[in-house]
C-alpha cells in the first residue's frame, strides 16, 4: 500500500490509476479504524479497480474542542489494517496541506441540517461537506463509500453532490454491528466495559421501533422505543425520532410510505453515540 501525505501526489496517483478507463474507489475516514471502515474498503474493492482511503481528523466538523482533542488517533495500527484489507493507497494529509488556498464555502444543505444532529452540532455538516469536497478535489475518485450509520451525513452529502453536480458516485453502505447489536464507531473505544453494555440499548430500542412500525401509529412506535431506552437510565437521550427516508423530516403519520427511518442519539458516559434503522412496511 502506498502512503501519501501530500495533495499533489494523491492527485497524480489517482490520475495514473485511472489510465485505460480503470476506476478509483474512495473511503474517506477520520481514522481509528474498525470493521465498519474495513467493510467500506472491501465494498470499494469489489466495485472499483483501485481503492484509496483517507485519514484526516477534520477540525471543521467538530464544534466541541474537547471532542476533537479526545478523538482517537492510531495511525500505525490503521495503516496496518488498511494494508491487510487490500487498500492500494492511504492519503493522510496534514491540516495545512488540505486547507492551503482554501476558504470554507457555505453550502445549501436544503434544510437537511434543520433537525436531528443539526441543532445539537451547529456547523458540523457544513464542516463535513467542505472537507469531503476538498478530499474529492484531490483524490478525484469515481465512487465514494459512506456508511449508513451516519444517515444524516450521507443524506446531506448526496444532496450537495446532486446540487453541485459532483461527478463522484456516492455509494451508501449498511451499518456494521457488533454481535450484541452496537453499531461500530470509533467513539466506542472511549466507553468503559459497563458503558459498552449500557450502549446496546440503542439498538434494542431501534429494533422495537422496527417491529412496531407500520402496525402501530408513529406515536406508539416512538413510545415503544423510548420505553426501551428508559430501561437503562445511565443512557442520556439527546433525541429519538422517526423520519422520512429521503428528506429526514420528522414524521407524525406513516401516510402511504413503505419505508421510514428511526434515528437516535444519546450520551453514554462522556460519549455521544448515534444510530438509526430503516423501518419497512
Ligand atoms: O464519517 C466520517 O468519518 C467523516 O465525517 C468524514 C466523511 C470522513 C469527513 O471528515
Amino acid at each position: 500500500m502506498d502512503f501519501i501525505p501530500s495533495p499533489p501526489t494523491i492527485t497524480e496517483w489517482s490520475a495514473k490509476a485511472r489510465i485505460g478507463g480503470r476506476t478509483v474507489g474512495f473511503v474517506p475516514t477520520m481514522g481509528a479504524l474498525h470493521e465498519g471502515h474495513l467493510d467500506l474498503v472491501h465494498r470499494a474493492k469489489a466495485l472499483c479497480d483501485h481503492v484509496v482511503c483517507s485519514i484526516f481528523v477534520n477540525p471543521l466538523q467538530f464544534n466541541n474542542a474537547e471532542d476533537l482533542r479526545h478523538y482517537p488517533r492510531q495511525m500505525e495500527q490503521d495503516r496496518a489494517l488498511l494494508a491487510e484489507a487490500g487498500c492500494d493507497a492511504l492519503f493522510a494529509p496534514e491540516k495545512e496541506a488540505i486547507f492551503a488556498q482554501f476558504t470554507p464555502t457555505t453550502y445549501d444543505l436544503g434544510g437537511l441540517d434543520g433537525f436531528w444532529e443539526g441543532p445539537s452540532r451547529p456547523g458540523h455538516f457544513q464542516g463535513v461537506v467542505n472537507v469531503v469536497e476538498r478530499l474529492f478535489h484531490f483524490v478525484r475518485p469515481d465512487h465514494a463509500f459512506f456508511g449508513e450509520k451516519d444517515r444524516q451525513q450521507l443524506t446531506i452529502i448526496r444532496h450537495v453532490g446532486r446540487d453541485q453536480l459532483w461527478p463522484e458516485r456516492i455509494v451508501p453502505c449498511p451499518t456494521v454491528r457488533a454481535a450484541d447489536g452496537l453499531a461500530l464507531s470509533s467513539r466506542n473505544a472511549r466507553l468503559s466495559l459497563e458503558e459498552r453494555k449500557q450502549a446496546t440499548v440503542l439498538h434494542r430500542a431501534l429494533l422495537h421501533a422496527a417491529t412496531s412500525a407500520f402496525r402501530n401509529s408513529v406515536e406508539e412506535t416512538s413510545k415503544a422505543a423510548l420505553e426501551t431506552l428508559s430501561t437503562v437510565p445511565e443512557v442520556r437521550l439527546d433525541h429519538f425520532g422517526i423520519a422520512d427516508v429521503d428528506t429526514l423530516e420528522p414524521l407524525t403519520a406513516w401516510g402511504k410510505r413503505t419505508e421510514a427511518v428511526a434515528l437516535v442519539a444519546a450520551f453514554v458516559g462522556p460519549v455521544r453515540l448515534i444510530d438509526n434503522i430503516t423501518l419497512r412496511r
Side-chain angles (χ1 to χ4, degrees):
M1 182 179 70
D2 296 323
F3 181 79
I4 303 175
S6 74
T9 316
I10 189 67
T11 311
E12 286 156 21
W13 187 99
S14 179
K16 222 158 141 197
R18 287 197 309 273
I19 290 173
R22 283 172 302 174
T23 54
V24 171
F26 179 42
V27 179
T29 81
M30 297 205 297
L33 304 182
H34 50 68
E35 281 301 322
H37 295 114
L38 301 179
D39 183 67
L40 299 180
V41 172
H42 295 312
R43 285 172 190 274
K45 277 182 74 71
L47 201 69
C48 306
D49 298 305
H50 300 277
V51 177
V52 179
C53 179
S54 66
I55 295 182
F56 179 64
V57 182
N58 170 30
L60 296 183
Q61 70 189 79
F62 286 83
N63 45 337
N64 177 334
E66 277 300 287
D67 199 22
L68 173 59
R69 207 161 60 82
H70 284 293
Y71 203 83
R73 290 164 172 88
Q74 47 177 56
M75 186 59 87
E76 283 319 303
Q77 189 180 321
D78 288 349
R79 206 168 155 167
L81 286 170
L82 288 172
E84 201 183 317
C87 182
D88 299 299
L90 166 57
F91 177 43
E94 293 296 331
K95 188 170 79 192
E96 291 70 23
I98 276 279
F99 295 131
Q101 319 282 329
F102 169 75
T103 316
T105 303
T106 303
Y107 286 93
D108 179 356
L109 306 184
L112 288 164
D113 61 340
F115 25 68
W116 315 122
E117 291 299 283
S120 305
R121 309 182 69 187
H124 167 72
F125 289 117
Q126 288 291 349
V128 169
V129 173
N130 269 276
V131 86
V132 167
E133 188 283 328
R134 208 69 196 139
L135 291 166
F136 282 4
H137 172 78
F138 293 124
V139 178
R140 316 258 169 102
D142 298 285
H143 296 78
F145 297 76
F146 292 88
E148 284 179 348
K149 185 185 148 280
D150 296 304
R151 179 74 82 128
Q152 196 170 7
Q153 165 174 289
L154 172 63
T155 305
I156 287 176
I157 289 170
R158 291 174 106 175
H159 167 83
V160 176
R162 276 195 295 267
D163 204 43
Q164 299 286 318
L165 306 177
W166 287 351
E168 293 78 10
R169 210 188 116 214
I170 307 297
V171 185
C173 303
T175 302
V176 179
R177 298 182 181 280
D180 60 10
L182 183 69
L184 299 192
S185 161
S186 305
R187 292 168 198 268
N188 295 352
R190 291 179 56 206
L191 298 170
S192 70
L193 225 60
E194 194 52 36
E195 289 162 353
R196 171 75 186 65
K197 252 188 250 158
Q198 293 162 355
T200 58
V201 77
L202 265 61
H203 184 236
R204 283 201 299 286
L206 292 175
L207 287 179
H208 280 160
T211 314
S212 167
F214 297 106
R215 296 184 195 184
N216 303 304
S217 67
V218 170
E219 195 183 334
E220 281 161 340
T221 299
S222 295
K223 205 167 145 229
L226 289 169
E227 269 169 20
T228 307
L229 285 164
S230 69
T231 60
V232 184
E234 293 87 351
V235 171
R236 286 137 28 236
L237 186 66
D238 182 305
H239 62 248
F240 172 86
I242 294 178
D244 182 87
V245 265
D246 297 317
T247 65
L248 293 188
E249 265 177 64
L251 292 185
T252 51
W254 303 115
K256 289 199 187 328
R257 289 176 183 78
T258 54
E259 276 191 352
V261 58
L263 303 111
V264 65
F267 281 94
V268 185
V271 187
R272 190 170 178 283
L273 297 177
I274 59 171
D275 200 355
N276 69 83
I277 199 167
T278 303
L279 311 171
R280 296 193 166 88
R281 198 181 273 278

